[in-house]
């Protein structure tokens, strides 16, 4: 435990059902600090890295389709980093069990999740489950400068010939 960061993702079903506000209110009960947040599309490569520990599971392909928005016609997710005392377990508690049918009815997954006929657990939210997982996931979803705290060691790299999309003058 101690002071720690954790990654939270509101999945495409959460955005599709306009649950963002409700979920943020529930998470604010923890009194943890939000130190990064963004709405983004999820590239397939990021989804596959995020769920790499499940790549052998029969539901893996469906899970990638789910998190990349192919199932809901909604490709946005909201990714956040929360920080504070026991952040990982506090957020896992409010998120509820992986299977929405087994999740405590007052948890986010218990209240808003469901199992699709395809068998996928549509459970609205992702939350890191250990400090190692949090570090791996935060580094995957965020760059150092998108987070208002220095969580992990950084280094400076000089890039030449960087191609970047900017606003047209
Ligand atoms: P989490 O940490 O509680 O999200 O659970 P996992 O890391 O084990 O799994 C990641 C995601 O894969 C879950 O949130 C579900 O969306 C999905 N998932 C996990 N286990 C199962 C399963 O047994 N069946 C199905 N259909 N989906 C699963
Ligand atoms: Mg997990």
């Amino acid at each position: 435990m101690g002071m720690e960061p954790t990654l939270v993702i509101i999945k495409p079903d959460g955005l599709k059902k306009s649950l963002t506000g409700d979920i943020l209110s529930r998470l604010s009960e923890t009194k943890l600090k939000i130190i990064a947040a963004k709405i983004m599309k999820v590239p397939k490569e990021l989804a596959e890295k995020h769920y790499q520990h499940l790549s052998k599971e029969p539901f893996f392909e469906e899970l990638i389709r789910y998190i990349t928005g192919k199932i809901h016609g909604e490709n946005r997710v909201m990714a956040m980093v929360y920080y504070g005392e026991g952040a990982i377990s506090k957020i896992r508690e409010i998120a509820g069990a992986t299977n929405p049918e087994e999740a405590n009815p007052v948890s986010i997954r218990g209240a808003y999740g469901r199992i699709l006929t395809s068998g996928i657990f549509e459970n609205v939210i992702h939350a890191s489950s250990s400090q190692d997982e949090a570090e791996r996931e935060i580094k995957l979803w965020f760059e150092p400068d998108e987070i208002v705290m220095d969580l992990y060691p950084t280094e400076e790299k000089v890039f030449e010939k960087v191609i970047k999309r900017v606003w047209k003058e």
Side-chain angles (χ1 to χ4, degrees), residues 124-165:
V124 185
I125 187 174
H126 166 83
S128 310
S129 59
S130 69
Q131 288 191 352
D132 285 351
E133 192 177 273
E135 176 172 352
R136 190 185 77 83
E137 293 178 349
I138 289 167
K139 288 177 173 174
L140 212 50
W141 289 79
F142 287 92
E143 294 194 8
D145 288 339
E146 294 180 304
I147 304 174
V148 300
M149 272 178 73
D150 284 331
L151 296 175
Y152 311 111
T154 56
E155 60 184 349
E156 287 189 333
K157 258 191 192 173
V158 178
F159 291 95
E160 276 164 46
K161 285 199 193 159
V162 177
I163 298 177
K164 200 177 158 193
R165 214 156 70 99

Side-chain angles (χ1 to χ4, degrees), residues 4-153:
E4 62 191 13
T6 186
L7 180 80
V8 175
I9 297 165
I10 304 180
K11 297 182 181 182
D13 49 321
L15 279 106
K16 176 105 185 237
K17 295 176 184 165
S18 300
L19 294 172
T20 314
D22 287 353
I23 291 169
L24 293 180
S25 298
R26 291 300 315 278
L27 295 176
S28 69
E29 290 165 18
T30 60
K31 307 286 181 223
L32 296 166
K33 233 197 238 182
I34 304 182
I35 58 168
K38 61 181 171 184
I39 301 281
M40 60 184 283
K41 297 186 221 172
V42 183
K44 193 158 181 268
E45 301 69 45
L46 172 60
E48 285 171 352
K49 279 188 197 154
H50 177 76
Y51 283 130
Q52 68 185 23
H53 60 294
L54 298 171
S55 63
K56 299 272 163 0
E57 298 293 338
F59 55 83
F60 183 68
E61 246 173 70
E62 210 43 26
L63 180 59
I64 299 305
R65 279 172 38 80
Y66 169 30
I67 196 71
T68 55
K70 301 288 186 301
I71 294 177
H72 298 89
E74 168 60 83
N75 64 5
R76 291 170 305 154
V77 302
M78 185 167 183
M80 291 163 291
V81 181
Y82 280 79
Y83 181 83
E85 181 70 30
I88 292 169
S89 61
K90 280 181 184 161
I91 294 208
R92 289 287 294 188
E93 172 86 29
I94 291 187
T98 306
N99 181 339
E101 300 293 333
E102 287 169 9
N104 187 330
V106 305
S107 68
I108 292 167
R109 287 166 165 180
Y112 303 124
R114 60 177 181 164
I115 299 182
L116 297 181
T117 42
S118 63
I120 201 76
F121 292 177
E122 193 187 80
N123 56 12
V124 185
I125 187 174
H126 166 83
S128 310
S129 59
S130 69
Q131 288 191 352
D132 285 351
E133 192 177 273
E135 176 172 352
R136 190 185 77 83
E137 293 178 349
I138 289 167
K139 288 177 173 174
L140 212 50
W141 289 79
F142 287 92
E143 294 194 8
D145 288 339
E146 294 180 304
I147 304 174
V148 300
M149 272 178 73
D150 284 331
L151 296 175
Y152 311 111

